[in-house]
Amino acid sequence: MRASRFFISTLKDAPSDAEIVSHQLMMRAGMIKRLGSGIYTYMPMGLRVIRKVEAIVREEMNQAAAIELLMPLVQPAELWQETGRWDKMGAELMRVKDRHGREYAIQPTSEEVITDVVRTEIKSYRQLPLNFYHIQTKFRDERRPRFGLMRGREFTMKDAYSFDRDLAGMQASYKVMFDAYTRIFTRFGLKFRAVAADNGAIGGSGSHEFHVIAHTGEDALVYCPTSDYAANMEAAEALALTGERPAATEELSKAATPDTVKCETVAALLGIDLARTVKTIALTAETEKDGKITKQHFMLLLRGDHELNEIKVGKVAGLANHRFTTEEELLEVYGSIPGYLGPIGTQLPVTVVADRTVDKMSDFVCGANDAGFHYTGANWGRDLPEAAIVADLRNVVAGDASPDGKGVLAIERGIEVGHVFQLGTAYSESMKATFLDENGKPAPLQMGCYGIGITRILGAAIEQNFDDKGIIWPASIAPFEVVLCPMGMDRSELVKEQTEQLYAALQGAGVDVILDDRGQRPGAMFADWELIGVPHRVVIGERGLKEGKLEYQGRRDTEATGVAPSDIVAFIQAKMAQ
Amino acid sequence: MRASRFFISTLKDAPSDAEIVSHQLMMRAGMIKRLGSGIYTYMPMGLRVIRKVEAIVREEMNQAAAIELLMPLVQPAELWQETGRWDKMGAELMRVKDRHGREYAIQPTSEEVITDVVRTEIKSYRQLPLNFYHIQTKFRDERRPRFGLMRGREFTMKDAYSFDRDLAGMQASYKVMFDAYTRIFTRFGLKFRAVAADNGAIGGSGSHEFHVIAHTGEDALVYCPTSDYAANMEAAEALALTGERPAATEELSKAATPDTVKCETVAALLGIDLARTVKTIALTAETEKDGKITKQHFMLLLRGDHELNEIKVGKVAGLANHRFTTEEELLEVYGSIPGYLGPIGTQLPVTVVADRTVDKMSDFVCGANDAGFHYTGANWGRDLPEAAIVADLRNVVAGDASPDGKGVLAIERGIEVGHVFQLGTAYSESMKATFLDENGKPAPLQMGCYGIGITRILGAAIEQNFDDKGIIWPASIAPFEVVLCPMGMDRSELVKEQTEQLYAALQGAGVDVILDDRGQRPGAMFADWELIGVPHRVVIGERGLKEGKLEYQGRRDTEATGVAPSDIVAFIQAKMAQ
């Protein structure tokens, strides 16, 4: 490609609404252009990156025997009503009516449509397994679109759907996709991690997220550096502490803690370690029976320095649906105001749920259910009954034991770019997608679904790879692999001739090269390509040529390397192979 | 590709709602699957054709220096309001509201968005010319979607937009696109014709449609076999007959024609040629001034065997906006009922508009403005004044003189698959998309737009190329170029070995080949591939192999040709090069 036949448009400054570095750099590098809230035009430079991402995804999906088709963007409401998602999806599902008043969804994903396709196409177990995918525009009406392509409303996603005759088959298909994803993210040249994820309300037996590692990531990833264990924060199990609960050494005592409602300030006031305090969270679950609403109150206990994990709370018996107890209810049930709640003296029907760590504590500090007072020296069994329920309620922290017993946990931040999911029969049962098994009996299809956020990859790759000059693309998804920067091509026949020769040689070698023939000054030209992030640059100047040299500089290199014109193609190929 | 890793799904019968052959065959060949009215899933077999069409379009667009980007599907209403199209487009424009109540269009085309992009990106004449295109899903909420991909609601279109500094530049860009389109349709291997089209309400200075020739086409194409002249029916000019109007030979006479309101029946009743009758069409144009509506009545005269051309009527002075005169008005103005209207005796303020052909007629028959009577022997100048306006009002017919004076016109039918359009400054002026010219003065961008209906190409190609067995794809857009049909691959080692060898050899030669390893019976297997329309087939059977032969058969061949295994690759390559 010659720059004069391409469209390059860079900016000195990012627009003020670009909050994160990938958004800022994509705007400055002319890769995207905002059309509306969460809606972007992919400019020629950005589209090249998207196409390279898509090509790698497509190759690996085909290699994994997935079959490409293309499902519509505008999908009839009736299908979404069959699975109940028309109601469940809420405002994120963009809905539209046609001229006859019929309702449609603009697809955020295509489980319903693919299930509709296969329920008429798949008749026999002989046709299985099958895996269909498409790469298509999606729309999700986010409440607060932000971060450019990271949380846009219109975006491109690859979504695949596998169909199997039984659970074992589905798990095998899942494994094939998991491995394909591993190859895809490896080929992208990105540091990534696959982590076990919670299955959420959809059920099913397993799911993994693929994250690009970046300090700026929204998600916390938990992993064990000395084993294979990895999970997202929602799903990472906090084991109980090993060993027995220490014996009590202190007497229960009521300490005045006026205006001191947080564990941090209580610990500071009492001069003790935060890890000796227990915080109390009051939740209420309501159930309706014969028109009568029954409330059940729960008191959750967490060590002062730990964080509550909402997903884990939802799995405690009785807490699938819960809310915070209101201040009015707190007064009525516990006789206390928030900040001074505690488990001592509470009675049925309150259920005390202790986090595994709290269950192993002795001589702890907790609220006294008396405004302005905390207990110190509290001990299970002596000052309060053993907790009715002991459960994993908290987020793990770095240094916790790994659930696989093979080391301690570490935490890093990631950006979710892929998700593989064992769906089971949730969709096939609600949509009656069955096949005839070997005995001629109808059975529901076992499904899996597998997504990659194509456009999000761009943002994630940049969050992981940038410096103060701009983007640093991995070569496999860079808009161009090599840029040629001739100095004064219009003035020097030598420069012109050598540049054209090198351009042709690189193209002949299958290198994706751009020749910057715009005639810009060197400083502006170099700044553009550093901002855009092309990984390899060759400067062709008359002085260098007279010394028998071209100047090669990798995007991460701090200095240029002189290379003889006769060696440069091989030199670049060697760099690209690294 | 191995068929066992692909998805092939054929049907014996087409669904009853498939009215035309391309729709029927695409459904039967498993290329598309209906999701809703005018909305289709492109199944794997159909998607392969779409991708080949897209690849050819993309290559030729890039070759013509057009630059690919990707504009959003969901576009803010504000942009469409700037050009007035938000109101003008009516119910065809699919409108949607987001969670905040903001309005958007689902793009049917992207003039507004690209003009918005360039008005901030193009600052100087030095950046021009520029041509941007994208290949993207479109939605048009057709009142009556039908004919499968021919008139669907969701479809794929390539739309390009050129930007120039002046009219000459825009015309040059238009020529480049016209030539690119010619190459594209030539590469598709389709018989096509570019015809001049009417510019419609949008104005501008020129436009051409590209049509795939097919008997079943919706549009009539006019061309001169002995010259370059070609236009669609709307735009084809009907010249005035050469020579003088013949002198009158008959007396004016009133003939009783009870219950005889059509020219055809009048001619039959009177025993004369239909070409001696004149039909009268009464139109009324209303203009409002100072709150007062003024009506102007027009009487249009057309030879009995000719058809009115609505586009031409709209170009007659005073008739840009018109409607049919109501029966009440006919009685009031002409004292006549429909079917017996005629120009004799009419007075101002009625304007008589004669078609050029009628202006040259003498001794003609027309309505007498008296129910149950027609005049015969009517003559201009003698029985009624010369027409106030003489204009081209009719569709041309085969045998008419070509407007370029180089022969006579012929008519064939076509399917519109492309349109190139000189837009001028209509969009750039309403959206204030200007650039600084050489004198530093702002000037509006000169625009052109260029569309190709990607998915429609599939339907059009089939309408042109099919037989009673199924589709006959041109090789360049066939889902596969060659199919290998082994006979009893599971039983014969020889067949298996030869098949795998040939499969590898063809793949190595860059041929897009599918190996049918499904193990079907020969009859069913052949029927599938004839229906799907793969252009080249090779049958590998044990008996043939023992005789040193493979059986080659082109999709249009009536018999197979024996070819030695050692010659088959070269043989196929020679066939493909034809």
Side-chain angles (χ1 to χ4, degrees):
Chain A
M1 180 70 73
R2 289 170 194 272
S4 58
R5 282 171 69 104
F6 196 59
F7 187 76
I8 298 165
S9 172
T10 57
L11 294 173
K12 273 236 150 53
D13 300 301
S16 57
D17 69 332
E19 297 167 51
I20 61 170
V21 72
S22 60
H23 188 189
Q24 290 162 357
L25 289 176
M26 290 195 81
M27 296 292 289
R28 287 187 51 209
M31 303 228 166
I32 56 174
K33 200 168 177 76
R34 185 179 183 280
L35 178 64
S37 171
I39 302 176
Y40 293 87
T41 292
Y42 306 130
M43 295 296 285
M45 193 66 81
L47 184 60
R48 287 186 75 89
V49 181
I50 292 173
R51 295 288 187 234
K52 292 199 177 183
V53 169
E54 287 178 349
I56 290 173
V57 169
R58 189 170 276 126
E59 275 176 34
E60 293 296 339
M61 291 303 289
N62 293 348
Q63 189 61 36
I67 305 172
E68 188 172 8
L69 44 57
L70 190 61
M71 288 176 274
L73 207 87
V74 176
Q75 308 184 339
E78 290 77 12
L79 285 182
W80 289 76
Q81 284 155 352
E82 278 191 60
T83 61
R85 291 213 298 176
W86 183 258
D87 295 323
K88 250 185 259 168
M89 291 274 297
E92 278 203 0
L93 187 66
M94 191 84 155
R95 293 149 212 260
V96 54
K97 273 187 194 168
D98 74 3
R99 65 195 299 157
H100 304 296
R102 282 187 223 108
E103 288 191 295
Y104 297 83
I106 304 184
Q107 68 154 345
T109 170
S110 284
E111 280 84 0
E112 280 79 0
V113 172
I114 195 69
T115 307
D116 181 57
V117 166
V118 300
R119 68 179 164 184
T120 57
E121 291 288 345
I122 298 182
K123 279 147 194 136
S124 157
Y125 71 94
R126 288 191 195 85
Q127 292 170 275
L128 302 174
L130 269 173
N131 187 336
F132 290 110
Y133 77 99
H134 70 168
I135 299 177
Q136 173 73 307
T137 306
K138 302 282 186 288
F139 203 94
R140 205 167 283 177
D141 196 5
E142 295 271 354
R143 179 181 296 275
R144 204 166 81 80
R146 58 196 186 281
F147 306 152
L149 300 193
M150 299 284 271
R151 195 166 290 281
R153 295 199 291 174
E154 187 170 320
F155 56 99
T156 304
M157 194 167 110
K158 186 283 299 174
D159 36 331
Y161 305 90
S162 67
F163 299 90
D164 279 277
R165 53 199 286 196
D166 53 26
L167 192 67
M170 185 264 276
Q171 285 167 342
S173 293
Y174 181 85
K175 176 72 165 55
V176 167
M177 281 294 103
F178 186 98
D179 293 344
Y181 274 42
T182 302
R183 287 195 302 275
I184 287 167
F185 290 105
T186 304
R187 284 184 63 184
F188 287 160
L190 298 174
K191 290 189 284 291
F192 70 97
R193 193 179 290 284
V195 299
D198 184 70
N199 277 352
I202 211 163
S205 41
S207 93
H208 284 86
E209 295 165 357
F210 284 76
H211 286 260
V212 167
I213 307 303
H215 299 305
T216 52
E218 280 191 302
D219 294 309
L221 311 181
V222 179
Y223 69 103
C224 175
T226 53
S227 79
D228 286 341
Y229 183 81
N232 71 10
M233 187 54 89
E234 289 180 352
E237 186 183 3
L239 294 183
L241 300 182
T242 50
E244 295 298 302
R245 181 194 296 157
T249 62
E250 298 177 6
E251 289 306 305
L252 186 69
S253 161
K254 204 162 168 180
T257 52
D259 298 328
T260 312
V261 299
K262 290 196 156 188
C263 285
E264 287 78 2
T265 46
V266 171
L269 180 71
L270 301 178
I272 56 164
D273 193 47
L274 182 59
R276 288 190 53 203
T277 65
V278 167
K279 65 182 147 196
T280 302
I281 296 140
L283 300 179
T284 300
E286 292 182 8
T287 46
E288 195 189 320
K289 202 180 169 183
D290 303 331
K292 213 183 123 189
I293 290 173
T294 315
K295 290 183 193 174
Q296 176 150 18
H297 300 292
F298 292 83
M299 186 173 262
L300 274 56
L301 303 181
L302 217 61
R303 203 171 76 181
D305 57 335
H306 285 160
E307 275 176 12
L308 192 70
N309 182 310
E310 274 287 342
I311 299 293
K312 293 177 179 177
V313 171
K315 292 179 177 172
V316 172
L319 282 172
N321 292 301
H322 63 262
R323 57 170 174 82
F324 286 108
T325 308
T326 65
E327 293 202 16
E328 202 171 57
E329 288 168 331
L330 288 183
L331 272 174
E332 182 192 321
V333 178
Y334 304 102
S336 177
I337 59 166
Y340 293 100
L341 281 181
I344 294 176
T346 58
Q347 291 177 336
L348 282 177
V350 172
T351 305
V352 172
V353 187
D355 177 64
R356 286 169 171 172
T357 309
V358 173
D359 181 55
K360 288 288 181 76
M361 289 170 74
S362 55
D363 298 335
F364 57 84
V365 170
C366 61
N369 290 329
D370 188 357
F373 293 92
H374 278 79
Y375 281 119
T376 66
N379 280 281
W380 292 108
R382 186 190 74 182
D383 307 319
L384 72 169
E386 297 292 336
I389 300 175
V390 175
D392 177 15
L393 298 178
R394 68 173 175 95
N395 286 337
V396 298
V397 294
D400 277 347
S402 176
D404 64 2
K406 296 180 180 170
V408 294
L409 296 177
I411 294 173
E412 64 189 351
R413 306 216 53 94
I415 299 162
E416 188 188 338
V417 287
H419 201 158
V420 292
F421 214 103
Q422 299 185 19
L423 285 175
T425 57
Y427 287 89
S428 52
E429 281 180 3
S430 62
M431 294 185 67
K432 299 187 183 58
T434 60
F435 66 99
L436 294 181
D437 67 15
E438 283 171 291
N439 304 314
K441 280 192 188 152
L445 288 157
Q446 280 281 350
M447 290 173 59
C449 70
Y450 316 94
I452 290 181
I454 299 286
T455 38
R456 197 173 223 222
I457 297 286
L458 277 67
I462 296 172
E463 292 292 331
Q464 189 180 83
N465 300 282
F466 69 93
D467 61 15
D468 55 359
K469 294 177 193 159
I471 303 166
I472 309 174
W473 290 110
S476 64
I477 59 173
F480 298 97
E481 291 169 324
V482 176
V483 58
L484 301 186
C485 296
M487 313 282 278
M489 201 175 169
D490 50 341
R491 294 186 309 270
S492 162
E493 262 310 308
L494 181 62
V495 169
K496 188 176 158 82
E497 188 193 303
Q498 287 285 323
T499 301
E500 291 289 355
Q501 206 171 309
L502 177 53
Y503 179 59
L506 286 170
Q507 282 195 318
V511 175
D512 187 12
V513 56
I514 184 161
L515 161 56
D516 193 344
D517 57 352
R518 293 176 298 164
Q520 291 211 320
R521 284 172 300 104
M525 177 160 58
F526 296 165
D528 269 359
W529 294 110
E530 283 165 348
L531 173 58
I532 292 164
V534 171
H536 307 282
R537 183 181 80 194
V538 180
V539 177
I540 303 104
E542 196 164 74
R543 198 188 314 170
L545 283 173
K546 285 183 176 159
E547 293 168 12
K549 274 193 302 191
L550 300 171
E551 279 186 17
Y552 167 85
Q553 189 162 353
R555 178 62 182 79
R556 287 186 195 272
D557 297 348
T558 48
E559 282 186 24
T561 308
V563 182
S566 56
D567 299 340
I568 189 74
V569 173
F571 184 88
I572 288 172
Q573 285 177 318
K575 285 282 180 190
M576 284 172 58
Q578 276 170 17
Chain B
M1 180 69 74
R2 286 170 196 272
S4 58
R5 282 171 68 104
F6 196 60
F7 187 76
I8 297 165
S9 172
T10 56
L11 294 173
K12 273 235 148 55
D13 301 301
S16 57
D17 68 330
E19 297 167 52
I20 61 170
V21 72
S22 60
H23 189 190
Q24 290 163 357
L25 290 176
M26 291 196 81
M27 296 293 287
R28 287 188 53 209
M31 302 229 167
I32 56 174
K33 198 167 177 76
R34 186 179 183 278
L35 178 64
S37 171
I39 301 176
Y40 293 87
T41 293
Y42 307 129
M43 295 297 285
M45 192 67 79
L47 184 60
R48 286 186 75 90
V49 181
I50 292 174
R51 294 288 186 236
K52 293 199 178 183
V53 169
E54 288 177 350
I56 289 173
V57 170
R58 188 171 277 127
E59 276 176 35
E60 294 296 339
M61 290 303 290
N62 294 347
Q63 190 60 35
I67 305 171
E68 189 173 8
L69 44 59
L70 191 61
M71 288 177 273
L73 207 85
V74 176
Q75 307 184 339
E78 290 76 11
L79 285 181
W80 288 76
Q81 284 155 351
E82 277 191 60
T83 60
R85 291 212 298 176
W86 183 257
D87 295 323
K88 249 185 259 167
M89 290 274 296
E92 276 203 2
L93 187 66
M94 190 83 154
R95 294 150 211 259
V96 55
K97 273 187 192 166
D98 74 3
R99 66 195 299 156
H100 304 295
R102 283 186 223 108
E103 288 191 296
Y104 296 83
I106 304 185
Q107 68 153 344
T109 170
S110 283
E111 280 83 0
E112 280 80 1
V113 172
I114 195 68
T115 306
D116 181 57
V117 166
V118 300
R119 69 179 163 183
T120 58
E121 290 289 345
I122 298 181
K123 279 147 194 136
S124 156
Y125 71 94
R126 287 190 196 86
Q127 293 170 274
L128 300 174
L130 268 174
N131 187 336
F132 290 110
Y133 76 99
H134 70 168
I135 299 178
Q136 174 72 307
T137 307
K138 303 282 187 287
F139 202 94
R140 206 166 283 177
D141 197 4
E142 295 271 355
R143 180 182 296 276
R144 204 164 81 79
R146 59 196 187 280
F147 306 152
L149 299 193
M150 299 285 271
R151 195 167 291 280
R153 295 199 290 174
E154 186 170 321
F155 57 98
T156 304
M157 193 168 111
K158 185 284 299 175
D159 37 328
Y161 305 91
S162 67
F163 299 90
D164 279 277
R165 54 199 286 197
D166 53 26
L167 191 67
M170 186 265 277
Q171 285 167 342
S173 293
Y174 181 84
K175 177 72 163 55
V176 167
M177 282 294 105
F178 186 98
D179 293 345
Y181 274 41
T182 302
R183 286 194 303 275
I184 287 167
F185 290 105
T186 303
R187 284 184 63 185
F188 287 158
L190 298 175
K191 290 189 283 291
F192 70 97
R193 191 180 290 284
V195 299
D198 185 69
N199 277 352
I202 211 161
S205 41
S207 93
H208 284 86
E209 295 165 356
F210 284 77
H211 287 261
V212 167
I213 307 303
H215 298 307
T216 53
E218 280 192 304
D219 294 309
L221 311 181
V222 178
Y223 67 103
C224 175
T226 53
S227 79
D228 286 341
Y229 183 81
N232 69 11
M233 187 53 88
E234 289 179 352
E237 186 183 2
L239 295 183
L241 300 183
T242 50
E244 294 299 302
R245 181 194 298 157
T249 64
E250 298 177 8
E251 289 305 306
L252 184 70
S253 160
K254 204 164 170 180
T257 51
D259 298 328
T260 311
V261 301
K262 290 195 155 189
C263 285
E264 287 78 2
T265 46
V266 170
L269 180 73
L270 303 177
I272 57 163
D273 192 47
L274 181 60
R276 288 190 52 203
T277 65
V278 166
K279 65 181 148 198
T280 303
I281 296 141
L283 300 179
T284 300
E286 292 184 7
T287 46
E288 196 190 320
K289 203 179 171 185
D290 305 330
K292 213 183 125 190
I293 290 173
T294 315
K295 289 183 193 175
Q296 176 149 20
H297 300 291
F298 292 83
M299 188 172 262
L300 273 57
L301 303 180
L302 216 62
R303 203 170 77 180
D305 58 336
H306 284 159
E307 275 177 12
L308 192 71
N309 183 311
E310 273 287 343
I311 300 293
K312 292 178 180 177
V313 171
K315 291 180 177 171
V316 172
L319 283 173
N321 292 302
H322 63 262
R323 57 170 172 82
F324 285 108
T325 307
T326 64
E327 293 202 17
E328 201 171 56
E329 288 169 332
L330 288 182
L331 272 175
E332 182 193 321
V333 178
Y334 304 103
S336 177
I337 61 167
Y340 293 99
L341 282 179
I344 294 175
T346 58
Q347 291 176 339
L348 281 177
V350 173
T351 306
V352 172
V353 187
D355 176 64
R356 285 169 172 172
T357 308
V358 174
D359 181 55
K360 289 287 181 77
M361 288 170 75
S362 56
D363 297 335
F364 57 84
V365 171
C366 61
N369 289 328
D370 189 358
F373 293 93
H374 279 78
Y375 281 120
T376 64
N379 280 281
W380 293 107
R382 185 189 74 182
D383 307 320
L384 72 170
E386 295 292 337
I389 300 176
V390 175
D392 177 14
L393 298 179
R394 67 171 175 95
N395 286 338
V396 299
V397 292
D400 277 348
S402 176
D404 64 1
K406 295 180 180 169
V408 293
L409 296 178
I411 294 174
E412 64 190 349
R413 308 218 50 99
I415 299 163
E416 188 188 339
V417 286
H419 200 157
V420 292
F421 214 104
Q422 299 185 19
L423 284 175
T425 57
Y427 287 89
S428 54
E429 280 180 5
S430 62
M431 293 186 67
K432 300 186 180 59
T434 59
F435 65 99
L436 294 181
D437 67 15
E438 284 172 288
N439 305 316
K441 280 194 188 151
L445 288 157
Q446 280 281 351
M447 290 173 59
C449 70
Y450 316 94
I452 291 182
I454 299 286
T455 38
R456 197 174 224 222
I457 297 287
L458 277 68
I462 296 172
E463 293 291 332
Q464 188 178 86
N465 300 283
F466 68 93
D467 62 16
D468 54 0
K469 295 177 194 161
I471 303 168
I472 307 173
W473 290 111
S476 64
I477 59 173
F480 299 96
E481 291 169 324
V482 176
V483 57
L484 301 186
C485 296
M487 313 282 277
M489 201 176 169
D490 50 341
R491 294 186 310 269
S492 163
E493 263 310 309
L494 181 63
V495 169
K496 189 177 157 79
E497 189 194 302
Q498 287 285 324
T499 301
E500 291 290 353
Q501 206 172 308
L502 177 54
Y503 180 59
L506 287 170
Q507 282 194 318
V511 175
D512 187 12
V513 56
I514 185 162
L515 162 56
D516 192 343
D517 57 352
R518 293 176 297 164
Q520 291 211 319
R521 283 172 302 105
M525 178 161 58
F526 296 165
D528 270 358
W529 295 110
E530 283 165 348
L531 173 58
I532 291 164
V534 171
H536 306 282
R537 182 181 82 194
V538 180
V539 178
I540 304 104
E542 195 164 73
R543 199 188 315 168
L545 283 173
K546 286 183 176 158
E547 293 168 13
K549 276 194 300 191
L550 300 171
E551 279 187 14
Y552 167 86
Q553 189 164 352
R555 179 62 183 80
R556 289 186 194 272
D557 297 346
T558 48
E559 282 185 24
T561 308
V563 182
S566 55
D567 298 340
I568 188 75
V569 174
F571 184 88
I572 288 171
Q573 284 176 320
K575 285 282 179 189
M576 283 173 58
Q578 275 171 18

